[in-house]
Amino acid sequence: MQNIDIPEFSDVQAKRLRNFLADPERPQGVMDYYQLAGFLLAVGCSPEIIMPSEWMPVVFGGNEPEYEDEDEAREILGALMSLYNRVAAEIAGGTAQLPPALKIFEDPMANLEPEAPLCRWSKGFASGHAWLNDLWTEILPDELDDEFNINVFILTFFAGRRFAEKFFHEARHEGKSSLKPKTFEDFTAKILQLFPDALQNYALMGHSAQQAIMNLDLAATPPQPGRNDPCPCGSEKKYKKCCLDKGTAAGPARPTTDRVYQLKVTLKGSKPPIWRRILVPDTALDRLSDYLLTVMGWTGGHLHAFRISDKHYGTIDIGWSRDDLVDERTVNLSDVVSSPQKKFTYDYDFGDGWEHEVLVEDILDPEPDASYPLCVAGRRACPPEDVGGIYGYYEFLKAITDPGHPAHEEMVGWIGGDFDPKAFDLKQANEDLQYIAGQGSLPV
């Protein structure tokens, strides 16, 4: 989210998702588009980050999506991730909203009809919130229970008339002063009026909970003193002469990994080369993927895979994968790299076909005061997403740098302004890496 570009969710993607989810060929239990949007709002507001591999099966009712082919799988998965990223960005930016195309009927009662867009959205939100309710129960302070429950009450109200009537009778019985229900029609109109504020409040509480949990996680790890700093144990000796080798005082004596891998990542076909040098701890390949995407500058909205020693490693639980694909979550970098100078390939976006050569330049001891992952060098900007691969990228550069090129205005409008192919911000790259390391994964 912050410091990371999120691909814009387009009207074309929205239409494609609507048609795909509404297709009679989809298995029973698949959410429709508006249910999906409501569900993703609940997922994006979860106190803990929910991975796509966890929420995508819920979208499809626990069934296989039944894609026609690999191209359709990439298209639909890309659209799903773009929608999720937009929802997450709106939550983080304090601008959570209903989908722009969602029509709210002027007659409040009409929004309770089963096929009404708002009814569908509320159904999706209700299922998402119910799925994650245990997480909220664990972290929500007692003093916020009433405020939180009222927001949930409002956002789920339009999930169905029977559901709404039940709420109405409970509100009348409990005499909720903020709602003051008289007739069911008046009550429904009042709920519709309160809906936008409830949406913002729920999103704010979710985002605040996420930040609070992140801060607690950071606070739980005491800062590591420098080698020449006074030892925190109070001995008046330098840390290196006292508790450094004991693993006491300020926690572990060394970073949690005992090896650091120096990798040079080069985008194949780029001339002059687009590359990054990054130091990473031993980690599972799915985390390494997050680091590679982040340091290069990709958004993570497409499928990826590693090709190492004639084997393929990637994500196998989001709807489509090769039969011979090994689950990247089950393999650490140390399992596939035992010595320096080994090379392997990292593929990103099977449509555009970005290939990265990853050279293991060295395997090092970690520096006591260092924080990993760490980018130490790099050259040139990452190409824009969906530009058409390395060939499309260089055609894009020709057009954007030549005002007389037939596609110049189109490409300038597409990229949204200037694009500097020589730009690389080392400080920003490391800020993004630290954010991803703290979050646990890309927002995708």
Side-chain angles (χ1 to χ4, degrees):
M1 293 177 285
Q2 65 256 43
N3 298 330
I4 297 176
D5 294 330
I6 297 175
E8 182 179 356
F9 182 66
S10 67
D11 292 339
V12 172
Q13 287 178 310
K15 182 177 180 180
R16 183 69 180 94
L17 267 182
R18 276 197 297 271
N19 292 339
F20 178 83
L21 296 172
D23 192 320
E25 295 296 319
R26 300 284 80 74
Q28 188 174 6
V30 172
M31 295 181 183
D32 62 36
Y33 176 72
Y34 291 121
Q35 283 180 294
L36 170 66
F39 174 79
L40 289 182
L41 188 282
V43 169
C45 292
S46 169
E48 296 181 10
I49 302 299
I50 307 300
M51 298 298 293
S53 57
E54 297 175 87
W55 59 255
M56 278 196 184
V58 182
V59 171
F60 293 105
N63 301 301
E64 290 295 324
E66 298 181 358
Y67 300 117
E68 288 184 2
D69 50 35
E70 296 176 10
D71 289 339
E72 184 175 64
R74 285 193 293 268
E75 181 184 19
I76 297 303
L77 291 172
L80 282 167
M81 295 310 303
S82 292
L83 176 57
Y84 171 78
N85 285 343
R86 189 187 74 174
V87 171
E90 290 172 348
I91 292 168
T95 59
Q97 58 184 317
L98 296 171
L102 189 150
K103 181 180 180 181
I104 297 179
F105 298 117
E106 291 184 7
D107 178 5
M109 301 298 293
N111 294 295
L112 290 168
E113 294 300 322
E115 297 307 315
L118 186 58
C119 177
R120 309 304 297 168
W121 187 96
S122 288
K123 282 181 180 291
F125 172 82
S127 65
H129 179 76
W131 183 49
L132 301 167
N133 188 55
D134 287 346
L135 296 179
W136 281 106
T137 301
E138 291 176 8
I139 64 96
L140 196 67
D142 292 341
E143 60 267 26
L144 293 179
D145 274 349
D146 287 344
E147 178 185 354
F148 180 76
N149 289 335
I150 288 176
N151 290 323
V152 175
F153 170 97
I154 292 170
L155 296 178
T156 56
F157 179 85
F158 291 95
R161 187 180 179 101
R162 288 181 59 189
F163 195 59
E165 288 177 342
K166 179 176 181 291
F167 278 163
F168 168 65
H169 291 299
E170 288 180 354
R172 289 191 67 183
H173 177 71
E174 296 174 9
K176 295 182 183 295
S177 59
S178 60
L179 299 174
K180 298 179 180 178
K182 296 179 182 179
T183 67
F184 181 53
E185 290 73 18
D186 290 339
F187 186 63
T188 302
K190 181 66 174 177
I191 294 295
L192 188 60
Q193 181 183 350
L194 295 172
F195 202 98
D197 287 342
L199 183 58
Q200 291 292 334
N201 292 339
Y202 185 91
L204 177 61
M205 296 178 83
H207 184 61
S208 298
Q210 292 172 9
Q211 296 300 307
I213 289 174
M214 286 177 58
N215 292 337
L216 284 173
D217 288 343
L218 292 174
T221 304
Q224 186 81 4
R227 293 171 59 85
N228 294 313
D229 290 342
C231 189
C233 75
S235 66
E236 298 185 357
K237 297 179 181 179
K238 290 185 177 181
Y239 182 49
K240 67 182 180 181
K241 295 290 187 179
C242 189
C243 293
L244 172 61
D245 294 325
K246 302 175 185 177
T248 59
R254 306 177 68 86
T256 55
T257 179
D258 58 0
R259 307 296 279 168
V260 172
Y261 295 78
Q262 180 175 305
L263 309 177
K264 184 176 182 181
V265 188
T266 306
L267 187 62
K268 289 186 178 182
S270 58
K271 296 179 182 180
I274 300 169
W275 62 271
R276 309 286 186 262
R277 180 170 287 116
I278 181 174
L279 303 176
V280 301
D282 186 24
T283 189
L285 294 184
D286 64 326
R287 298 296 289 126
L288 178 61
S289 173
D290 290 342
Y291 299 154
L292 297 182
L293 291 170
T294 300
V295 77
M296 287 301 297
W298 301 115
T299 63
H302 299 282
L303 293 174
H304 65 266
F306 292 90
R307 286 184 276 152
I308 308 175
S309 301
D310 299 323
K311 289 188 178 181
H312 294 77
Y313 305 83
T315 305
I316 65 173
D317 59 350
I318 59 172
W320 172 84
S321 64
R322 297 168 53 104
D323 292 338
D324 61 348
L325 196 68
V326 179
D327 189 344
E328 62 185 2
R329 298 170 300 180
T330 66
V331 180
N332 274 21
L333 182 57
S334 59
D335 295 329
V336 292
V337 173
S338 58
S339 61
Q341 302 309 308
K342 182 179 182 65
K343 292 181 181 180
F344 59 88
T345 300
Y346 177 73
D347 296 311
Y348 173 65
D349 185 354
F350 301 151
D352 276 7
W354 300 108
E355 294 181 302
H356 306 76
E357 178 188 88
V358 183
L359 170 64
V360 182
E361 293 184 318
D362 207 349
I363 303 177
L364 309 165
D365 291 328
E367 293 292 330
D369 300 330
S371 177
Y372 303 105
L374 177 68
C375 182
V376 295
R379 291 292 184 275
R380 286 168 278 280
C382 181
E385 298 270 353
D386 304 318
V387 76
I390 198 69
Y391 174 79
Y393 175 54
Y394 286 114
E395 289 300 307
F396 161 78
L397 290 182
K398 289 178 185 177
I400 202 169
T401 56
D402 179 6
H405 194 285
H408 177 74
E409 290 187 7
E410 178 186 355
M411 290 295 100
V412 170
W414 178 72
I415 199 63
D418 296 331
F419 179 84
D420 183 1
K422 298 179 180 179
F424 173 65
D425 188 334
L426 181 62
K427 179 181 178 183
Q428 185 67 62
N430 278 308
E431 288 180 359
D432 290 348
L433 280 172
Q434 289 305 306
Y435 174 73
I436 290 303
Q439 281 287 90
S441 69
L442 279 170
V444 275

